[in-house]
mmCIF file of all heavy atoms in Angstrom:
data_model
loop_
_atom_site.group_PDB
_atom_site.id
_atom_site.type_symbol
_atom_site.label_atom_id
_atom_site.label_comp_id
_atom_site.label_asym_id
_atom_site.label_seq_id
_atom_site.Cartn_x
_atom_site.Cartn_y
_atom_site.Cartn_z
ATOM 1 N N PRO H 43 10.516 53.033 -35.555
ATOM 2 C CA PRO H 43 9.469 54.013 -35.310
ATOM 3 C C PRO H 43 9.256 54.973 -36.461
ATOM 4 O O PRO H 43 8.179 55.502 -36.631
ATOM 5 C CB PRO H 43 9.963 54.754 -34.048
ATOM 6 C CG PRO H 43 11.425 54.485 -33.984
ATOM 7 C CD PRO H 43 11.620 53.131 -34.583
ATOM 8 N N ASP H 44 10.278 55.239 -37.239
ATOM 9 C CA ASP H 44 10.118 56.144 -38.370
ATOM 10 C C ASP H 44 9.923 55.390 -39.663
ATOM 11 O O ASP H 44 9.334 55.896 -40.607
ATOM 12 C CB ASP H 44 11.336 57.061 -38.496
ATOM 13 C CG ASP H 44 11.445 58.009 -37.317
ATOM 14 O OD1 ASP H 44 10.411 58.508 -36.877
ATOM 15 O OD2 ASP H 44 12.557 58.219 -36.850
ATOM 16 N N GLY H 45 10.424 54.160 -39.740
ATOM 17 C CA GLY H 45 10.261 53.366 -40.937
ATOM 18 C C GLY H 45 11.036 53.890 -42.117
ATOM 19 O O GLY H 45 10.735 53.586 -43.263
ATOM 20 N N TYR H 46 12.056 54.697 -41.883
ATOM 21 C CA TYR H 46 12.737 55.381 -42.974
ATOM 22 C C TYR H 46 14.217 55.008 -43.019
ATOM 23 O O TYR H 46 15.073 55.862 -43.122
ATOM 24 C CB TYR H 46 12.623 56.899 -42.818
ATOM 25 C CG TYR H 46 11.214 57.407 -42.770
ATOM 26 C CD1 TYR H 46 10.901 58.573 -42.097
ATOM 27 C CD2 TYR H 46 10.186 56.721 -43.410
ATOM 28 C CE1 TYR H 46 9.601 59.053 -42.062
ATOM 29 C CE2 TYR H 46 8.887 57.189 -43.373
ATOM 30 C CZ TYR H 46 8.606 58.351 -42.704
ATOM 31 O OH TYR H 46 7.331 58.830 -42.668
ATOM 32 N N ASN H 47 14.536 53.720 -42.892
ATOM 33 C CA ASN H 47 15.939 53.336 -42.912
ATOM 34 C C ASN H 47 16.214 52.306 -43.984
ATOM 35 O O ASN H 47 15.779 51.185 -43.902
ATOM 36 C CB ASN H 47 16.350 52.748 -41.553
ATOM 37 C CG ASN H 47 16.289 53.799 -40.481
ATOM 38 O OD1 ASN H 47 16.731 54.912 -40.698
ATOM 39 N ND2 ASN H 47 15.717 53.459 -39.339
ATOM 40 N N ALA H 48 16.956 52.720 -45.009
ATOM 41 C CA ALA H 48 17.411 51.823 -46.069
ATOM 42 C C ALA H 48 18.178 52.648 -47.075
ATOM 43 O O ALA H 48 17.996 53.849 -47.165
ATOM 44 C CB ALA H 48 16.251 51.117 -46.753
ATOM 45 N N LYS H 49 19.045 51.968 -47.831
ATOM 46 C CA LYS H 49 19.845 52.700 -48.802
ATOM 47 C C LYS H 49 20.090 51.816 -50.015
ATOM 48 O O LYS H 49 20.446 50.671 -49.902
ATOM 49 C CB LYS H 49 21.191 53.125 -48.210
ATOM 50 C CG LYS H 49 21.992 54.063 -49.137
ATOM 51 C CD LYS H 49 23.266 54.485 -48.462
ATOM 52 C CE LYS H 49 23.982 55.577 -49.251
ATOM 53 N NZ LYS H 49 24.318 55.190 -50.594
ATOM 54 N N GLN H 50 19.883 52.415 -51.202
ATOM 55 C CA GLN H 50 20.089 51.666 -52.428
ATOM 56 C C GLN H 50 20.275 52.650 -53.565
ATOM 57 O O GLN H 50 19.563 53.633 -53.664
ATOM 58 C CB GLN H 50 18.876 50.765 -52.725
ATOM 59 C CG GLN H 50 18.980 50.004 -54.031
ATOM 60 C CD GLN H 50 17.697 49.266 -54.332
ATOM 61 O OE1 GLN H 50 16.771 49.286 -53.543
ATOM 62 N NE2 GLN H 50 17.644 48.636 -55.475
ATOM 63 N N GLU H 51 21.239 52.434 -54.434
ATOM 64 C CA GLU H 51 21.441 53.303 -55.583
ATOM 65 C C GLU H 51 20.317 53.078 -56.569
ATOM 66 O O GLU H 51 19.899 51.961 -56.819
ATOM 67 C CB GLU H 51 22.787 52.985 -56.254
ATOM 68 C CG GLU H 51 23.207 54.003 -57.316
ATOM 69 C CD GLU H 51 23.478 55.380 -56.731
ATOM 70 O OE1 GLU H 51 23.748 55.456 -55.528
ATOM 71 O OE2 GLU H 51 23.399 56.362 -57.494
ATOM 72 N N PHE H 52 19.785 54.157 -57.178
ATOM 73 C CA PHE H 52 18.644 54.051 -58.069
ATOM 74 C C PHE H 52 19.043 53.530 -59.444
ATOM 75 O O PHE H 52 20.019 53.958 -60.013
ATOM 76 C CB PHE H 52 17.987 55.431 -58.227
ATOM 77 C CG PHE H 52 16.827 55.420 -59.165
ATOM 78 C CD1 PHE H 52 15.606 54.922 -58.754
ATOM 79 C CD2 PHE H 52 16.973 55.870 -60.464
ATOM 80 C CE1 PHE H 52 14.539 54.892 -59.623
ATOM 81 C CE2 PHE H 52 15.905 55.848 -61.327
ATOM 82 C CZ PHE H 52 14.692 55.363 -60.910
ATOM 83 N N LEU H 53 18.249 52.590 -59.976
ATOM 84 C CA LEU H 53 18.425 52.098 -61.335
ATOM 85 C C LEU H 53 17.114 52.296 -62.059
ATOM 86 O O LEU H 53 16.073 51.824 -61.622
ATOM 87 C CB LEU H 53 18.805 50.605 -61.327
ATOM 88 C CG LEU H 53 20.103 50.275 -60.602
ATOM 89 C CD1 LEU H 53 20.305 48.763 -60.586
ATOM 90 C CD2 LEU H 53 21.287 50.940 -61.274
ATOM 91 N N PHE H 54 17.116 53.003 -63.194
ATOM 92 C CA PHE H 54 15.887 53.412 -63.857
ATOM 93 C C PHE H 54 15.432 52.393 -64.892
ATOM 94 O O PHE H 54 15.872 52.374 -66.019
ATOM 95 C CB PHE H 54 16.084 54.776 -64.531
ATOM 96 C CG PHE H 54 14.855 55.257 -65.222
ATOM 97 C CD1 PHE H 54 13.775 55.702 -64.467
ATOM 98 C CD2 PHE H 54 14.757 55.251 -66.597
ATOM 99 C CE1 PHE H 54 12.643 56.145 -65.088
ATOM 100 C CE2 PHE H 54 13.607 55.696 -67.222
ATOM 101 C CZ PHE H 54 12.552 56.145 -66.473
ATOM 102 N N LEU H 55 14.532 51.503 -64.490
ATOM 103 C CA LEU H 55 13.851 50.595 -65.400
ATOM 104 C C LEU H 55 14.781 49.743 -66.254
ATOM 105 O O LEU H 55 14.402 49.274 -67.311
ATOM 106 C CB LEU H 55 12.909 51.397 -66.320
ATOM 107 C CG LEU H 55 11.658 51.944 -65.643
ATOM 108 C CD1 LEU H 55 10.821 52.677 -66.657
ATOM 109 C CD2 LEU H 55 10.842 50.848 -65.012
ATOM 110 N N THR H 56 16.025 49.579 -65.851
ATOM 111 C CA THR H 56 16.931 48.744 -66.630
ATOM 112 C C THR H 56 17.250 47.450 -65.897
ATOM 113 O O THR H 56 17.925 46.591 -66.435
ATOM 114 C CB THR H 56 18.254 49.490 -66.903
ATOM 115 O OG1 THR H 56 18.826 49.896 -65.663
ATOM 116 C CG2 THR H 56 17.999 50.713 -67.770
#
Side-chain angles (χ1 to χ4, degrees):
D44 294 320
Y46 302 152
N47 294 316
K49 188 177 189 301
Q50 177 186 357
E51 190 65 22
F52 178 77
L53 299 176
F54 180 72
L55 288 181
T56 56

